[in-house]
């Protein structure tokens, strides 16, 4: 319990940290920014309310669930202009996006939608996990070679659209390696399957539909 | 003429003869914003810096994984009349980039937490200004609005734009608000080809969600305009009919039919008694058709719902509801097909060096019977 509690705090911190960095430094800038994005406190509160609503509606299931993003939301049919936040969460079990509509002014979650096999951002925690898994894989390190230690790792979620694709329904991350001069390494082509906890390396650009599954597993 | 003035004159002639020397950029002045204007609002009258004839009031938003979008647009035909609402919300709901071999298939908005790039001095150029840290505003000349022999008038527009840092790719999201009431929507794809797939052809599909509230959310009617022609006849015609016969539906863009949508407000008429309207005019070089169901058609129209916001789910939103009397939302895909070429870059020791120049796609919203006469004409 202590461990999972600590893990939750860490996840929240990791999700909030990047947005905290881009917020303004002055109260005026913070007030201006609040027109475009929820404040850190609002995000934290919206996440907590969404988590509770997901639990109450029986959508939690087992396995990892990440709070991905909190964004300002509008409802044209709303009578009053309350502070509305849309929380997006991702549940590994079933490859499910959970959208929670949070009314911060009223302090209620007005709606929760669960959508299977759609696209969901990567959380900072998942990015760090994928990066660590890839950069501790010997073959990846070997192919990065002289650039190891200099590269900037970028992540893109890879979405399998075809139900018979072995990666369908998996949380798969493609990693890109940017070199200091500004270009990207053409090789290695690295995917991290976070659902199966595997690193996949494509030997070369594949020209079949099931390109990724044919990659070498490590 | 003294020796000194001779050389000075010669220098002037030489400078004037340099390529481009005669082209000076004229920066147009922005309208002074109201003191109590919220940070997300922009007001611009036209002609810029002159006596106002027409004007826009817009609001915008930006978010991680969403980029830049419009959260309201209001236009006035004369300075003395109130603003009329045109848009409630318009945005790229997603950008889909499938590669020809079948994989990868990236959703560049919903699939990633991509952010807007902070505005740089290069972005601002000589006439741009920062709306905020991520958004540029430009007031600019856009060449001729109309021409009649020796008479004519130059056109102006306000653009607001930002750049999404989509990892190796950058997407420029640009919205133009023009003096004649037109709104332009543009998606520009640029930067590095996908690492490891630098030479693989792919599309960049702009998946737009357009929630027009022309004169308000009520009494908006979406229509389809088609040009009918035949190689077997000298005659041609056009037909305008309700989208989906008045129900949620999809539609394909047909080049032979010049397919476009009209949105009219059936309860507000201009001075001639015609319902005010706007035309959605596609700007495209082809039609994407992928495995994914949402790409099987170019236009969709659905009834507004707070939680219908994901483009790849649009086919599930179409369930037979009546568009008549309901608040409608238009979904539209426009695409560029990118066949890599040497101008995109080259390999240098396993590193791709070079960038794809900007490729544009999008559409325009143009007034139809919104005015009762030619706008900005004597």
């Amino acid at each position: 319990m202590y461990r999972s509690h600590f893990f939750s705090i860490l996840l929240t911190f990791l999700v909030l940290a990047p947005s905290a960095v881009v917020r303004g430094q002055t109260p005026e800038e913070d007030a201006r920014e609040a027109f475009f994005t929820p404040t850190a406190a609002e995000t934290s509160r919206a996440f907590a309310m969404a988590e509770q609503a997901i639990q109450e509606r029986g959508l939690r299931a087992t396995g990892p669930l990440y709070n991905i993003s909190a964004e300002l939301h509008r409802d044209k049919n709303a009578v009053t202009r309350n502070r509305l936040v849309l929380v997006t969460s991702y549940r590994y079990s079933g490859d499910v996006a959970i959208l929670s509509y949070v009314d911060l002014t009223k302090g209620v979650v007005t709606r929760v939608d669960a959508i299977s096999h759609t696209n969901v951002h990567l959380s900072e925690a998942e990015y760090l996990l994928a990066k660590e898994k890839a950069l501790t894989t010997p073959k990846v390190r070997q192919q990065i070679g002289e650039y190891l230690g200099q590269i900037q790792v970028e992540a893109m979620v890879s979405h399998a659209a075809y139900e018979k694709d072995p990666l369908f329904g998996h949380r798969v991350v493609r990693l890109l390696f940017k070199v200091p001069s500004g270009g990207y390494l053409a090789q290695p082509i690295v995917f991290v399957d976070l659902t199966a906890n595997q690193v996949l390396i494509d030997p070369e650009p594949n020209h079949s539909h099931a390109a990724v599954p044919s990659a070498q597993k490590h | 003429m003294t020796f000194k003035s001779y050389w000075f004159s010669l220098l002037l002639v030489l400078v004037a003869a340099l390529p481009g020397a005669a082209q000076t950029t004229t920066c147009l002045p922005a309208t002074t914003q109201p003191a109590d204007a919220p940070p997300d609002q922009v007001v611009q009258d036209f002609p810029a810096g002159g006596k106002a004839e027409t004007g826009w009031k817009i609001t915008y938003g930006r978010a991680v994984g969403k980029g830049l979008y419009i959260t309201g647009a209001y236009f006035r035909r004369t300075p003395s009349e109130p603003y009329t609402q045109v848009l409630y919300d318009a945005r790229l709901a997603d950008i889909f980039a499938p590669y020809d071999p079948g994989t990868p298939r990236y959703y560049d908005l919903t699939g990633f937490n991509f952010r807007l790039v902070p505005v740089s001095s290069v972005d601002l150029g000589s006439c741009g200004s920062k709306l905020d840290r991520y958004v540029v505003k430009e007031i600019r000349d856009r060449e001729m609005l109309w021409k009649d022999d020796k008479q004519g008038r130059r056109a102006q527009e306000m653009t607001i734009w930002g750049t999404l840092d989509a990892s190796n790719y950058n997407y420029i999201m640009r919205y133009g608000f023009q003096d004649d009431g037109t709104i332009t929507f543009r998606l520009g794809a640029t930067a590095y080809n996908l690492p490891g797939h630098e030479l693989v052809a792919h599309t960049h599909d702009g998946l737009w969600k357009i929630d027009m509230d022309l004169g308000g959310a009520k009494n908006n009617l979406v229509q389809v305009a088609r040009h009918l022609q035949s190689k077997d006849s000298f005659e041609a015609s056009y037909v305008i009919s309700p989208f989906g016969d008045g129900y949620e539906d999809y539609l394909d863009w047909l080049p032979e039919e010049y397919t476009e949508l009209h949105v009219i407000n059936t309860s507000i008429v201009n001075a001639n008694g015609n319902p005010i309207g706007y035309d959605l005019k596609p700007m495209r070089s082809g039609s994407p058709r992928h495995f994914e169901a949402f790409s099987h058609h170019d236009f969709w129209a659905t009834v507004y719902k707070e939680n219908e916001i994901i483009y790849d789910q649009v086919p599930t939103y179409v369930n037979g509801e009546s568009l008549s009397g309901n608040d409608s939302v238009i979904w539209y895909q426009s695409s560029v097909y990118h066949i890599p070429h040497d101008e995109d870059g080259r390999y240098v020791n396993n590193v791709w060096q070079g960038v794809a120049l900007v490729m544009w796609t999008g559409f325009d919203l143009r007034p139809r019977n919104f005015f009762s006469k030619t706008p900005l004409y004597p």
Side-chain angles (χ1 to χ4, degrees), chain B residues 364-377:
Chain B
D364 291 350
L365 287 177
R366 295 193 61 141
R368 167 173 294 275
N369 304 327
F370 193 82
F371 292 85
S372 51
K373 64 181 185 65
T374 307
L376 307 174
Y377 179 79

Side-chain angles (χ1 to χ4, degrees), chain A residues 18-19 22 32-33 35-36 71 73-77 86 99 101 110-111 113 115 117-122 143 147 154-159 161-162 174 176 178-179 181-187 189 191 205-209 211-212, chain B residues 38-40 60-62 64-66 71 88-89 101-103 105-113 115 131-134 167-168 192 194-198 211 213 217 291-292 304 306-307 309-310 312-313 327 347 349-353:
Chain A
S19 55
V22 298
R32 180 185 177 87
E33 197 60 27
F35 269 84
F36 300 102
E71 63 188 273
H73 179 69
R74 296 190 299 163
D75 179 10
K76 194 192 297 189
N77 296 326
L86 172 61
L99 308 182
Y101 295 80
T110 57
R111 182 185 186 100
D113 290 339
I115 306 168
H117 311 308
T118 189
N119 311 288
V120 183
H121 299 177
L122 198 66
Q143 290 195 30
Y147 294 104
E154 297 177 358
M156 302 169 77
V157 177
S158 184
H159 187 76
Y162 187 44
R174 164 80 198 274
L176 307 179
K178 192 171 191 176
V179 300
S181 64
Y184 289 83
L185 295 183
Q187 303 288 334
I189 301 175
F191 295 83
N206 199 309
H207 296 277
S208 70
H209 185 78
V212 178
Chain B
D40 60 345
Y60 71 97
R62 53 175 167 75
V64 174
K66 297 284 187 290
T71 55
Y88 172 75
D89 191 283
T103 188
R105 313 175 78 73
Y106 291 122
Y107 291 82
D108 283 332
L109 289 185
T110 54
F112 310 108
N113 39 358
R115 297 168 184 277
L131 270 183
D132 62 40
R133 191 180 173 202
Y134 303 98
S167 202
N168 57 299
Y192 294 99
L194 181 64
H197 303 259
E198 293 85 354
D211 187 347
D213 281 356
F291 179 84
E292 290 76 6
Y304 168 84
E306 174 201 14
N307 64 326
I309 54 179
I310 304 173
D312 80 356
Q313 300 292 309
D327 184 9
Y347 294 105
N349 299 328
N350 191 35
V351 176
W352 183 258
Q353 297 287 0

